[in-house]
Amino acid sequence: MERKLFLKGGLAALGVAFIAPLANSCKKDSDTTTTTTSSSSSSSSSSSSSSSSGSCTSTASETAGPYPTITPSSYVRSNIVDGQTGVPLTIKITVCNTNNNCAALSGALVDIWHCTALGYYSEYTDTPGGGYSTVDYTASHFLRGRQTTDANGLVTFTSIFPGWYSPRAPHIHAHIYNSAGTSLLITQIAFPTDVCNTVYTTASPYSNRGVQDTANTADMVFSDSLSTELSTVTGSVSAGYVLTMTIYAAA
């Protein structure tokens, strides 16, 4: 219910970008391929924005969405599965500082959260639509976590491939803070459509819903900022997938 109200009011989501384990990877252009992107958000505004510092372009910024983690500092962990069923997904996010020639930003706090294979969020009473019932998950905290970036600006999470809910394309939310806890960016990560189609048509329980009803290009968040928010995803349903993104933020 809360989700529908928020979406009707104009949902703005969170985006993240392509990641690499080497510190100098942050200095690469953020629009290197059609399947690698970065996005960022630093305010509660519902519109996406990006900025450039020399050759270093910030990720598009979005609002936190309707289901931000209530107490993120309580969930410092890399494995955020919490018993949820789905295709394994390793999430690798690199944070780069646009105020320092896109050098890797170490010591940054990265919070992420996303829905289950069937479109539900923890910590809220939620209805994903599509004939699925309302479930009270206010006492649950699955698919949420926080990590601190290493010397290469990297954090890694173990999760599951998220499902989808109408009228959004599949996504992961991300909130970046500096080491002192000051918010730097709120953004979202989009998924390549071909990978989503494979997961949603061949893997359980995703196949119970089928493919998403909203394309990235039609999504209210990604339609004007997909070039900075689309991730790279490799792997397979049987072996699991690895998502890589780089987020460019001003620290």
Side-chain angles (χ1 to χ4, degrees):
M1 323 285 193
E2 297 176 17
R3 172 184 296 167
K4 293 179 179 178
L5 291 173
F6 186 91
L7 292 173
K8 287 180 180 178
L11 173 62
L14 313 168
V16 183
F18 173 75
I19 169 179
L22 301 178
N24 62 6
S25 68
C26 287
K27 298 182 180 180
K28 297 178 181 178
D29 292 338
S30 61
D31 56 350
T32 54
T33 75
T34 57
T35 57
T36 298
T37 58
S38 65
S39 70
S40 83
S41 71
S42 56
S43 74
S44 59
S45 168
S46 62
S47 61
S48 301
S49 64
S50 62
S51 61
S52 179
S53 176
S55 61
C56 193
T57 301
S58 297
T59 295
S61 65
E62 315 288 357
T63 59
Y67 300 110
T69 302
I70 296 173
T71 54
S73 60
S74 300
Y75 301 102
V76 178
R77 54 187 183 171
S78 59
N79 189 322
I80 64 174
V81 176
D82 276 351
Q84 292 302 302
T85 300
V87 174
L89 178 68
T90 299
I91 300 166
K92 294 179 175 291
I93 298 170
T94 296
V95 181
C96 302
N97 185 0
T98 59
N99 286 338
N100 187 23
N101 296 316
C102 275
L105 182 60
S106 64
L109 302 175
V110 179
D111 294 337
I112 67 168
W113 63 99
H114 66 79
C115 69
T116 67
L118 296 181
Y120 290 99
Y121 280 93
S122 64
E123 299 194 350
Y124 297 84
T125 298
D126 193 20
T127 308
Y132 284 79
S133 60
T134 299
V135 178
D136 183 354
Y137 280 128
T138 53
S140 300
H141 310 285
F142 50 76
L143 308 179
R144 299 176 182 272
R146 165 176 287 192
Q147 286 284 284
T148 301
T149 58
D150 64 15
N152 294 321
L154 172 67
V155 292
T156 301
F157 295 92
T158 298
S159 190
I160 62 167
F161 202 98
W164 60 273
Y165 54 89
S166 184
R168 290 300 319 279
H171 61 279
I172 294 175
H173 296 265
H175 193 160
I176 314 302
Y177 304 81
N178 66 16
S179 58
T182 300
S183 178
L184 301 178
L185 178 68
I186 301 172
T187 187
Q188 286 189 12
I189 305 170
F191 285 74
T193 300
D194 59 341
V195 178
C196 290
N197 288 346
T198 296
V199 173
Y200 297 157
T201 59
T202 65
S204 178
Y206 308 91
S207 56
N208 293 336
R209 305 196 76 196
V211 297
Q212 64 271 24
D213 65 1
T214 304
N216 286 328
T217 53
D219 183 83
M220 63 182 70
V221 172
F222 299 136
S223 60
D224 63 349
S225 54
L226 186 60
S227 64
T228 66
E229 293 172 312
L230 182 63
S231 65
T232 294
V233 179
T234 59
S236 65
V237 168
S238 58
Y241 288 93
V242 177
L243 177 150
T244 57
M245 286 290 281
T246 299
I247 298 177
Y248 297 89

